Every structure is written in structure tokens, then in C-alpha cells.
Amino acid sequence: MRMERIRRVSLIGLGAVGTAYGSRLLVAPETELSVVVDQTRKSRYCERPVVVNGQEIAFPYVLPDADVEPADLILIAVKYDGLEQALRDIRRQVGPNTIFMSLLNGIASEDDIRAAYPRNPILHAVCIAIDAVRNGRDVTFSNLGYISFGDASGEQAEAVERVRELFERAGIGYEIPEDILHTIWWKFMVNVGVNQTSAILRAPYGVFQQSTDAHTVMAMAMREVIAIAQRLGIDLSEDDIARFDDVLHAMAPTGKTSMLQDVEAKRSTEVEQLAGKVCQIGRQLGIPTPVNEVLYHAIRAITSASP
Ligand SMILES: NC(=O)C1=CN([C@@H]2O[C@H](COP(=O)(O)OP(=O)(O)OC[C@H]3O[C@@H](n4cnc5c(N)ncnc54)[C@H](OP(=O)(O)O)[C@@H]3O)[C@@H](O)[C@H]2O)C=CC1
Ligand SMILES: CC(C)(CO)C(=O)C(=O)O
């Protein structure tokens, strides 16, 4: 039987990541993109349109209650604190075969999607080496990086193939690793290390490229993720830190992690999904995570997360 192409794509979360990949999907051949937004956001976005690399882009907005055909693919690109509402807002886009893909950092979003839509195919994904920066509705990037994605269930080979074909058509870089859970945990380790350390030090990537001290703090936080991952049977190791060094050294020295951008813009951070998660799993497994304990409290102390 011929595989059905993905045509209808719904995106929720028009921030740094969503805007960057959305701008590619918008002009992809044979692709109909809808961006799901509530009325308040729609009014705000129409008043102050999205600008990508200096060019104004008119995204096609659809309200959560609109009567629409189900999407073939739903891409979720909100921050974790917006996920619960986003999963409610996209319900009208969901049909029995709609594929879900979350671009959120952390290791929890796929479980939350599964809890809300237990019968749909859910692919795991992370974006790697993207350098998108958002300032209000202006998003700039020089490198879209690539999306590493795959099927952790062993039952969604067709969904993987359909998304692969879409990304080819849209010119979105991708990789389909053999062990997507290893990649998810690798990215988690990366974010725990570089996002959190960069937020505390207010350090763009250049600092981690130059300063062995900054790099040491980052690697100390990453090693706690390696310890819990190994106990959970995920094969992370010191080599995975070295693998990130290659990515890190290719990043623009002035580029900033999403958490540093959040701290600078006085937005809430994803610390609960990074250090918070490491400490929680560490406690459950009886593995000490002192570096992440410090990062957790330090990040809460410099943001509004602390009362
Ligand atoms: N920025 C980066 O370089 C990278 C980020 N990531 C991860 O990707 C995810 C997204 O990050 P990022 O793009 O930086 O986040 P942003 O904060 O830039 O964007 C999130 C967007 O989601 C929108 N949103 C939230 N809830 C809803 C909703 N219910 N309906 C419609 N839109 C909604 C927000 O809208 P509004 O602005 O109107 O409030 C906001 O624009 C995070 O998990 C992050 O860790 C991963 C790799 C790189
Ligand atoms: C890997 C990194 C640091 C940049 O793509 C990221 O995921 C983030 O900024 O959240």
C-alpha cells in the first residue's frame, strides 16, 4: 500500500523554535500549515506580526474551537509550563491517525501527550544545534540545526517514514537515530549542563568554548544525568559529553541557550524539568545530585519561581 503523505500540519507554540521550523513548513510544497492560538494571542500576533530574520511572516492562525479537518501531524513547541493548556487547545486538530511530535526539551512531554491522547502515534524528538533567539515576536536564527526523531515504541515505523518525507519536502534537517531514547537522554544531559550553567553565569556559548571553569561546571551537572541514566539502563557515558563539545564549538559564540534567554527576558524557566527532574529521579534511585541541587535553588533564586 502507498504511504499517505503528511499534508496538514498543526503547530502550537510560535516562539523561537516553533517560528523557526514553522517558517520552513509554511513554504513547503503540498503542505498546509495551521498555527493554533487562542483569541488573545491571535489579536496580539496580528497587531504585532512575527518577524523571522528581518522578514515579516503571515502565519495562518486557527482558533482552538474552529471546526477543522484533523491534522496529519501536530508539532508542539510551547514551553513545558504551557503544555497542559496546549494539549487542550489542539484537541480539535486530533484525529485517530494524527501523529504527535514534541520539540520540548526535557524527558516528560511525550508522557504528558500520551496521557492526553493515548491512542495516537507519538514520536520522540529533539532539536539539535538550532540557534534561534526570540525577542518579543522577532525571531532570528542562522542555523536551524536538525531534528533528531524516532519511534521509541517499535510500532510507529510508518509515522517515522511519513515525517521523514515531510522534512525532506520542507528542507528541515533531520536524523533518525537507532536509539531515540539515548538521544533524548543525551539532549536532556546537554540542557541540564549548558542551559542551567549559562543561566547562572549569564554566559553565551562563547564562554563555554573559552573558559575551562565554565565548561567544568557544565560537565559536573551533566555527570549526574549520566549516573541516573546508567541506573535506568540508558547507555550515556563521558563520551556523550565529548559529543556535545563538537556541537558546542560549532555554535555562534554570541548564541544563548533558551534558559539564558528566558532569564534575560524575565520569563519563567524550565528548571523544574531540568535540575528539578534530575533531583527527583536521583532521590527515587538513591543517587546523590548535589550539583543539580545547587543549580535548582540558584536558578529559582534569580527568577520569579522563588516566592
Ligand atoms: N530556544 C531554543 O534555542 C531552543 C528551545 N528548545 C525547547 O523548545 C521548547 C520551546 O522553546 P522556545 O521556542 O525557546 O520557547 P518560547 O518561549 O520562545 O516559545 C513558546 C511559545 O509558545 C507559545 N504558547 C504557549 N502556550 C500556548 C498555547 N496554549 N497556544 C498557543 N501558543 C502557546 C507562547 O506564546 P506567547 O509568546 O504568546 O506567550 C510562546 O510564543 C522548550 O521546551 C525549549 O526548551 C529546544 C531547543 C532550542
Ligand atoms: C541545545 C540547546 C542549548 C541549543 O539548541 C538547547 O536545546 C536550548 O537552548 O534549549
Side-chain angles (χ1 to χ4, degrees):
M1 212 174 66
R2 239 180 102 238
M3 183 190 74
E4 269 221 35
R5 285 179 145 201
I6 290 177
R7 291 182 199 282
R8 288 181 44 81
V9 180
S10 295
L11 166 70
I12 189 157
L14 209 48
V17 165
T19 301
Y21 290 114
S23 63
R24 282 283 161 86
L25 290 164
L26 186 65
V27 294
E30 297 173 64
T31 309
E32 193 190 321
L33 178 71
S34 304
V35 178
V36 181
V37 285
D38 55 33
Q39 185 56 60
T40 314
R41 282 197 170 86
K42 185 175 175 188
S43 309
R44 206 159 20 93
Y45 295 4
C46 290
E47 210 169 284
R48 174 79 176 81
V50 174
V51 176
V52 181
N53 286 339
Q55 196 191 344
E56 200 171 296
I57 298 206
F59 281 100
Y61 299 121
V62 57
L63 295 173
D65 287 336
D67 210 0
V68 288
E69 259 183 61
D72 298 318
L73 172 69
I74 293 180
L75 264 187
I76 305 184
V78 299
K79 285 264 170 55
Y80 192 81
D81 62 2
L83 182 59
E84 206 180 321
Q85 182 62 44
L87 289 174
R88 281 196 288 272
D89 289 352
I90 46 95
R91 71 196 176 282
R92 290 280 188 120
Q93 314 284 318
V94 184
N97 303 317
T98 303
I99 302 166
F100 280 88
M101 182 178 271
S102 149
L103 298 177
L104 273 71
N105 282 336
I107 50 175
S109 62
E110 288 82 8
D111 291 343
D112 293 25
I113 299 170
R114 176 149 326 283
Y117 298 100
R119 279 184 281 279
N120 284 81
I122 301 167
L123 300 181
H124 279 71
V126 288
C127 25
I128 296 176
I130 179 172
D131 63 1
V133 174
R134 175 164 79 98
N135 187 358
R137 301 255 64 82
D138 290 10
V139 173
T140 48
F141 62 88
S142 61
N143 186 354
L144 251 191
Y146 60 97
I147 297 180
S148 184
F149 73 99
D151 166 32
S153 72
E155 292 166 5
Q156 301 300 342
E158 183 176 325
V160 170
E161 183 49 28
R162 292 178 74 201
V163 172
R164 191 197 64 73
E165 191 278 328
L166 171 73
F167 286 174
E168 282 286 339
R169 210 180 330 138
I172 292 175
Y174 66 89
E175 156 197 273
I176 305 173
E178 239 171 63
D179 183 355
I180 185 65
L181 286 184
H182 177 273
T183 306
I184 295 285
W185 274 82
W186 176 78
K187 180 75 191 292
F188 180 53
M189 178 199 81
V190 166
N191 294 133
V192 164
V194 74
N195 289 31
Q196 301 192 119
T197 310
S198 72
I200 297 294
L201 300 178
R202 304 282 211 269
Y205 296 120
V207 173
F208 295 89
Q209 293 161 349
Q210 301 278 330
S211 159
T212 48
D213 292 310
H215 191 281
T216 298
V217 179
M218 177 193 88
M220 286 168 78
M222 288 177 169
R223 285 190 188 104
E224 293 183 352
V225 178
I226 293 177
I228 61 174
Q230 287 182 345
R231 182 75 72 80
L232 293 171
I234 310 274
D235 184 25
L236 274 191
S237 70
E238 196 70 22
D239 290 350
D240 287 298
I241 300 181
R243 190 181 144 212
F244 176 60
D245 283 340
D246 295 340
V247 176
L248 177 62
H249 283 276
M251 301 290 272
T254 52
K256 294 174 183 177
T257 66
S258 57
M259 189 178 272
L260 176 55
Q261 292 181 50
D262 288 338
V263 168
E264 288 182 345
K266 301 198 178 350
R267 296 190 292 256
S268 62
T269 72
E270 293 180 307
V271 68
E272 300 297 335
Q273 290 308 311
L274 299 179
K277 210 53 173 182
V278 175
C279 297
Q280 181 203 339
I281 304 175
R283 277 191 297 275
Q284 283 162 2
L285 299 176
I287 295 177
T289 56
V291 178
N292 276 280
E293 291 275 350
V294 171
L295 289 172
Y296 179 78
H297 292 292
I299 290 162
R300 285 172 58 96
I302 59 164
T303 61
S304 54
S306 201

